[in-house]
Amino acid sequence: MSPIRSKSGPIGAAKKKVAENVDRPRQDSETDNETLHPSRIIVLVTSAGGSSKIDAEQRRCRDLLIAKGLLFEEFDGCDIRNRNKREFLFRLSRSKAYPQIFIEMEGNVYKYVGLFHDLQEMIDSSEIPSDVRDQYNIKTFDEVFAGVAKGGPIFPLSSIW
């Protein structure tokens, strides 16, 4: 797949590193030629607060995904039970910022999409003419999340916000 364009340049959102152990979360691998289908969105959030900006972005991210009717699950990065998954997602994204958005593919494969500002850019990019988007490989929100199941939050962490 093509990278997603952001302020920091293209992000490799469609990476597929596949670990040898199928039971563990897998990341990107070019050796896996099978077509994987998205199953849901994973949003890595924090209950620690940190700043009003983080709190607002987490809330806006959640509201956006609910408004779009997409199936997603939130993981609290501060919850000790989520430590292994948090560390895996941090390594995949190469960032420790919140909130982070991922697409979980069938077969336990994860794709890093970006941070909240990347979601905003994807929504804004739908107003760019398609020939320009194609020329510069700019993806819209609907293109990136095409195929993700509809539904809403699997396990809402409303206590965080």
Side-chain angles (χ1 to χ4, degrees), residues 38-113:
S39 60
R40 64 183 172 157
I41 298 167
I42 302 294
V43 182
L44 183 61
V45 296
T46 179
S47 61
S51 75
S52 58
K53 179 183 178 201
I54 291 172
D55 294 341
E57 287 183 350
Q58 289 181 157
R59 190 171 29 261
R60 291 172 64 198
C61 181
R62 181 174 194 239
D63 292 346
L64 174 65
L65 295 174
I66 289 171
K68 292 286 191 176
L70 297 173
L71 184 66
F72 69 97
E73 185 168 0
E74 300 163 334
F75 282 94
D76 181 4
C78 290
D79 187 333
I80 193 70
R81 296 170 295 183
N82 296 331
R83 181 178 180 201
N84 290 339
K85 187 161 206 159
R86 179 197 67 206
E87 293 303 317
F88 168 77
L89 296 173
F90 280 168
R91 283 191 309 276
L92 181 60
S93 69
R94 296 183 181 134
S95 172
K96 292 190 177 185
Y98 290 101
Q100 294 186 21
I101 299 89
F102 301 84
I103 297 176
E104 182 178 6
M105 308 297 281
E106 62 185 14
N108 213 20
V109 175
Y110 291 81
K111 294 179 183 182
Y112 176 60
V113 174

Side-chain angles (χ1 to χ4, degrees), residues 18-26 107-109:
V18 178
E20 293 175 2
N21 184 348
V22 184
D23 295 331
R24 288 186 8 219
R26 301 183 310 164
N108 213 20
V109 175

Side-chain angles (χ1 to χ4, degrees), residues 145-160:
F145 294 102
V148 173
K150 302 290 183 185
I154 293 173
F155 183 74
L157 296 175
S158 57
S159 62
I160 290 178

